[in-house]
Amino acid sequence: MLYIITKLVTEGDKKAFSILGAVDDKKKAAAIAAEAYKNYNKAASFQNVEMITEWLATRLSHSFRLDKDHRLQLAITELDGETLPEDKQLVFSAAAEEEELMRRVSQALFEGKHTAERGQATTSCPIE
């Protein structure tokens, strides 16, 4: 089995997609991806990098956001044969990230409005 390590860096409106390498060992692939994480997040502790390495070895992907405009996404794609199955072909989807953000914003707005409406009903008093 071959493991392809990829990286997507988003900085504001700019996006850079890179292939970091390809190895035949999942742990080596996780170590390569974790090294990219360590280079991106200079404040990462040794324990944090070790945790990310373990996460990458099991989940095969990791997303890290420095702030709202800076994000690192790492993925390890398993390749066994010439063509990947359709459910494994997508590496990154910016649309999915935007949809998730909009879903969370909508949910927060709904919950805030619902709470505010409940609060008005209990605290309202007629003006005389």
Side-chain angles (χ1 to χ4, degrees):
M1 176 115 25
L2 190 62
Y3 299 93
I4 300 170
I5 308 101
T6 54
K7 160 177 96 166
L8 175 66
V9 177
T10 305
E11 294 178 335
D13 291 336
K14 294 187 291 184
K15 293 175 178 53
F17 180 77
S18 305
I19 296 176
L20 299 177
V23 294
D24 60 357
D25 181 42
K26 189 188 292 187
K27 291 186 186 238
K28 283 182 187 177
I32 291 168
E35 188 67 27
Y37 167 78
K38 185 172 86 173
N39 291 336
Y40 187 78
N41 182 13
K42 301 288 186 196
S45 68
F46 174 77
Q47 291 174 332
N48 192 353
V49 173
E50 289 296 311
M51 180 187 71
I52 297 299
T53 305
E54 193 62 35
W55 178 268
L56 285 161
T58 57
R59 298 287 184 150
L60 303 178
S61 66
H62 179 68
S63 180
F64 172 73
R65 186 179 290 277
L66 276 175
D67 56 38
K68 76 174 200 154
D69 293 324
H70 297 83
R71 177 187 202 119
L72 170 70
Q73 292 175 270
L74 298 165
I76 299 171
T77 304
E78 297 176 329
L79 185 60
D80 188 19
E82 293 182 16
T83 304
L84 287 172
E86 192 169 323
D87 63 328
K88 303 272 185 177
Q89 290 176 358
L90 181 65
V91 177
F92 296 109
S93 173
E97 293 292 327
E98 292 295 324
E99 288 171 10
E100 178 65 16
L101 175 64
M102 292 311 295
R103 185 190 69 75
R104 289 185 182 198
V105 166
S106 296
Q107 181 181 2
L109 288 173
F110 173 77
E111 289 172 0
K113 181 180 180 209
H114 183 69
T115 302
E117 287 173 351
R118 263 196 330 231
Q120 285 179 336
T122 60
T123 60
S124 65
C125 62
I127 299 175
E128 295 180 22

